[in-house]
Amino acid sequence: MKWQKRILSMIQQRQDKKVALAVDTSSSEVSTILINNIVKLFETVKPDTTLVQADFKIRSVTPAKADTIKYYTHGKSSYTEVLEWATNEKIDTLFYITDVTGFIYEEITDVDYELFWLVPDEFLPKVPFGKAIKVA
């Protein structure tokens, strides 16, 4: 359970930063309990965290609240809109809960903010940029 302490520490270190937490809602095959617990951690430790729910498009942008996540079953995911949204909103740190199987436009080769991919799976894929953290 080392990753929980790591995520907690990362949130605490960013109390004075603009933080967003994105959740890939393209599939309900992931551990929704795990995802809700991560969102609850952000909701408790950094209540001003913005929660972005997205699959192939942004579905909602709200304050972080664990009981508001709606999943879809089509399995299509694109990260482009969320990454561009974070740039436009001048987010300092984006945490993205996903299995990293979605699409990113080829033009996006990096972002100008901290990006952490929180992967709720035993398999930790290579990420195009940012840092991947296994949360399973």
Side-chain angles (χ1 to χ4, degrees):
M1 297 292 182
K2 205 166 66 175
W3 66 265
Q4 290 95 331
K5 288 181 182 174
R6 183 174 179 193
I7 300 297
L8 174 61
S9 174
M10 293 170 80
I11 298 168
Q12 290 170 329
Q13 292 168 5
R14 288 160 181 80
Q15 285 299 323
D16 60 340
K17 304 278 186 189
K18 192 169 181 182
V19 173
L21 174 63
V23 177
D24 178 355
T25 58
S26 65
S27 171
S28 58
E29 292 180 19
V30 294
S31 172
T32 55
I33 294 170
L34 172 64
I35 292 172
N36 282 345
N37 286 339
I38 293 170
V39 175
K40 189 73 171 165
L41 180 64
F42 277 84
E43 181 184 343
T44 304
V45 179
K46 186 157 177 38
D48 63 340
T49 298
T50 302
L51 176 65
V52 180
Q53 296 182 53
D55 44 30
F56 57 86
K57 66 179 184 176
I58 293 177
R59 298 284 183 169
S60 69
V61 177
T62 61
K65 194 142 174 60
D67 61 359
T68 61
I69 299 172
K70 181 175 191 260
Y71 295 94
Y72 299 86
T73 56
H74 52 69
K76 295 177 190 158
S77 181
S78 172
Y79 307 123
T80 302
E81 217 177 292
V82 173
L83 299 176
E84 290 174 342
W85 171 87
T87 297
N88 293 338
E89 292 297 314
K90 298 185 178 13
I91 297 297
D92 295 311
T93 305
L94 175 64
F95 293 87
Y96 209 132
I97 304 173
T98 180
D99 58 7
V100 197
T101 59
F103 177 78
I104 299 174
Y105 287 151
E106 290 177 13
E107 295 82 35
I108 300 177
T109 57
D110 202 359
V111 292
D112 60 354
Y113 48 84
E114 284 186 301
L115 174 59
F116 298 99
W117 304 92
L118 305 181
V119 184
D121 196 348
E122 289 301 315
F123 174 70
L124 189 63
K126 184 177 184 295
V127 294
F129 44 81
K131 182 159 179 53
I133 301 170
K134 184 165 55 169
V135 293

